[in-house]
Amino acid sequence: EKYDKGLAKSRQTFGQRLNALFANFRSVDEEFFDNLEEALIGADVGYEMAVKISDELRDEVKLRNAKSQQEVTQTIIEKLVDIYEAEGADEKNSLNFAEKGPTVILFVGVNGVGKTTTVGKLAHQYQQEGKKVVLAAADTFRAGAIEQLEVWGKRADVPVVTGKAKSDPAAVVYDAVQKVKQEQDDVLLVDTAGRLQNKVNLMNELEKIKRVIHREIPEAPHEVLLVLDATTGQNALIQAKQFKETTDVTGIVLTKLDGTAKGGIVLAIRSELKVPVKLVGLGEQIDDLQAFDPNEFVYGLFK
Ligand code: GDP
């Protein structure tokens, strides 16, 4: 249901283009596939992906002997889900949790993509499930970042470990890890800095944070989630590649899908990064975060 609302824009554009395709639909001919390719590129699935999808569709439509609009639409939907899943058949979309002891999840990504908001939303979800959650404000650099996380801590009713402005973020994380170990908490969510102007510096900082966590809890961090803003389209892909070069990213959080007509970026990210999308942000409110489900997502686009 959340997908319904959140994907309204993507659906409008993508759906409208498809409807236009079908408006003077006579048969699934070459022109149809050309137009479909254009609609896919418009939805930001990326050029190669668009060509791949329409090529595979061509075969599938022939194979199934799909003729009516309904049959063709159904084929498109199933093919999109297939392609998404085939890109990472052995990966799971759900978050990795510790079997015993605290789970540590690190959030990385450039400023403004929605990191802090996502941490707040997830904290709320886990808190509602009865888990003991702690947040760590490891962005000690950007003015206001600590306070912003504290606001989310209040909203979600979970404690936030902070340090002084400009203090060593790894020290804040160390304190937070000690706290969750002592209190036997369930989840530690770490919000990190996102200043990409000084890339080397930032990557070193993230490495240090990871080392501190790993030293205290050997199997942690259990997830390193890269947060990307869907409205930035192909730019999100470029950012992702930069992060992936230096940090082991285990999953993607794609935010602001409610604010874009480019929901197709999900497919591009999947195929180009080989990292699963695990969560999607569909609004600014505390419960506007969803586990990513490729099936629901693609159906949501076509409703
Ligand atoms: P950070 O710098 O990466 O920590 O980004 P913030 O969490 O401060 O978010 C930046 C802006 O994006 C804020 O105005 C958020 O309300 C907004 N935002 C975050 N996630 C979403 C989302 O899923 N949908 C929409 N529409 N806005 C979002």
Side-chain angles (χ1 to χ4, degrees), residues 25-36:
F25 176 82
R26 258 171 245 107
S27 60
V28 269
D29 50 16
E30 265 322 293
E31 196 186 333
F32 175 86
F33 286 110
D34 283 349
N35 291 337
L36 177 70

Side-chain angles (χ1 to χ4, degrees), residues 109-118 121 142 148 152 191 255-259 281-284 288:
V110 307
N111 285 334
V113 292
K115 260 191 327 263
T116 308
T117 306
T118 302
K121 288 171 176 175
R142 185 172 65 86
Q148 201 191 336
W152 276 107
D191 191 17
T255 62
K256 311 188 195 180
L257 266 171
D258 54 305
L282 296 165
E284 293 187 273
D288 291 334

Side-chain angles (χ1 to χ4, degrees), residues 18 22 68-78 302:
L18 279 173
F22 285 118
S68 70
Q69 173 169 346
Q70 201 188 356
E71 287 168 326
V72 176
T73 308
Q74 188 59 28
T75 310
I76 294 175
I77 291 176
E78 285 171 22
F302 282 86

Side-chain angles (χ1 to χ4, degrees), residues 73 100 271:
T73 308
K100 211 167 125 276
S271 71

Side-chain angles (χ1 to χ4, degrees), residues 57 80 157 177 185 198 240:
L57 261 172
L80 287 176
D157 197 19
V177 172
D185 296 317
N198 194 338

Side-chain angles (χ1 to χ4, degrees), residues 18 35 38 41 54 79 87 96 131 159 177 197 218 229 270 277:
L18 279 173
N35 291 337
E38 247 173 66
I41 292 169
S54 52
K79 199 76 228 172
E87 296 287 340
N96 182 29
K131 294 189 169 80
V177 172
Q197 311 85 280
D229 177 344
R270 191 74 198 82
V277 176

